[in-house]
Amino acid sequence: MAARVAILGLMIHALLLAAPTANSEPRGFRATLIRREKAINYPRAAQQSYDRLSTLAARVTSTQTPLRSDNEGAYDMEVSIGTPPQNLTAIADTGSDLVWAKCGSCPTCMPKDSPSYYPNKSSTFSKLPCTNRLCVALEEQGQATCGARGTECDYKYSYGLSGDDYTQGYLGNETFTLGGDAVQGIGFGCTNMSNGNYGTGSGLVGLGRGPLSLVSQMGVGAFSYCLIPDPSMVSPLLFGSLANLTGSGVQSTRFLQSGTFYNVNLRSITIGNARTPGTGPNGIVFDSGTTLTYLSEPAYTLARIAIVSQTSLPRVADTDGFGPCYQVTGNNTSGTVPTMVLHFDGANMNLPVANYFVEVESGVVCWVVQRSPSLSIIGNIMQANYHIKYDLDKKALSFQPANCSSILDTVAGV
């Protein structure tokens, strides 16, 4: 009898290990990101990035305004929901918290031609009641109400200042599959109505620091990614123990404050032989959902002056709001534009030229840093080809230059 009890105990233990929950001990998970656009439309990217910047600035004084997504040049996350898994893609967004997907036929959802998740085809779906902590968090933000005698938590989650972009539905509980590993107990929005530009995916995966985000619910303590600009390749998105940065060149800086966003202190910028000031007490936000980089004043103007004075290329007129711009042959800027180094508290990011000068039209390259009237953002172009770790437990951001495709090869064998 004792032997049978022991064997039963071992079987239960093995099952628990095979099907982790969102609240189990930290372990490693992997997913992939895809850059949706084959080629970035830079004028459109500038407008969408600016809209997102405006919303982020408003959230400094109001926690009730999630960011509007910047879809031009954004990255989608590959994720599966339910049992059996239903494969979807959704915008990966470090600037917001809610995880949501289109549910059912959803005739009033945007975009109309992307696949939906069907809760009636999953054996593990359940609705979250109003007493659930995620519903309470949304209620505190004024974005959820309770119906069906408290058994259903209905939400309307608005993006942007106008509220015209939104997702609306009810909170559910499901199993999410990342890279072949199933994670039970993820709370998400089952959307039956939405408006706005969410690209070609089926929803949005919030990766912010709040309780609603995927990384917070999984309880893994940290995540990392390494963005590959080539849209024909996938980029690694790693959670928990797989998010570790190893080898030489790893540098770290602490987050400035709590909340959804990942702010760090940008002390100064070195451009060629000139040292220009940083962005002040509000710091700068690392944001996967913004394409371009923004600097507040006087950091922007002084950095621009340093770029102009040290660039040895034929100057051309600014293009679609980008500048300074220069004529090149074959997009070769080697040795003709100054280096650019970002100096954080305890860390220095030596940027590849391709992270701050891009070809906006044939034969014309421009400095793609923009002026901000308020907050500063490091967008995903400037983050490319860096392995960047967001450590929620240690409240620190780490990074190192990396061959992002080699990271995928390494974790594939884990």
Side-chain angles (χ1 to χ4, degrees), residues 266 268-272 339-343 347-351 356:
L266 179 61
S268 62
I269 306 170
T270 295
I271 296 176
T339 57
M340 186 170 178
V341 184
L342 306 180
H343 302 286
N348 302 306
M349 181 175 270
N350 295 272
L351 297 169
Y356 57 97

Side-chain angles (χ1 to χ4, degrees), residues 47-111:
Q47 183 58 56
Q48 292 179 356
S49 291
Y50 188 83
D51 289 343
R52 184 173 171 87
L53 165 73
S54 300
T55 310
L56 189 153
R59 287 204 66 182
V60 173
T61 55
S62 173
T63 60
Q64 299 182 17
T65 311
L67 293 178
R68 174 186 285 115
S69 178
D70 171 7
N71 296 291
E72 189 68 41
Y75 287 79
D76 278 353
M77 176 180 174
E78 296 181 311
V79 62
S80 300
I81 307 176
T83 307
Q86 301 176 41
N87 300 326
L88 305 171
T89 63
I91 296 170
D93 186 14
T94 58
S96 65
D97 291 329
L98 182 66
V99 180
W100 63 270
K102 292 167 52 178
C103 281
S105 59
C106 207
T108 55
C109 286
M110 300 296 293

Side-chain angles (χ1 to χ4, degrees), residues 49 52-53 70 287-294 377-381:
S49 291
R52 184 173 171 87
L53 165 73
D70 171 7
D287 182 33
S288 67
T290 301
T291 303
L292 306 181
T293 290
Y294 285 86
I377 302 174
I378 295 179
N380 60 49
I381 290 177

Side-chain angles (χ1 to χ4, degrees), residues 6 44 77 104 153 171-172 174 189 198 239 243 245-246 265 318 363 403 412:
R44 190 162 61 218
M77 176 180 174
C153 181
L171 290 185
E174 254 297 12
Y198 303 108
F239 297 89
L245 275 58
T246 59
N265 186 25
D318 291 357
N403 180 339

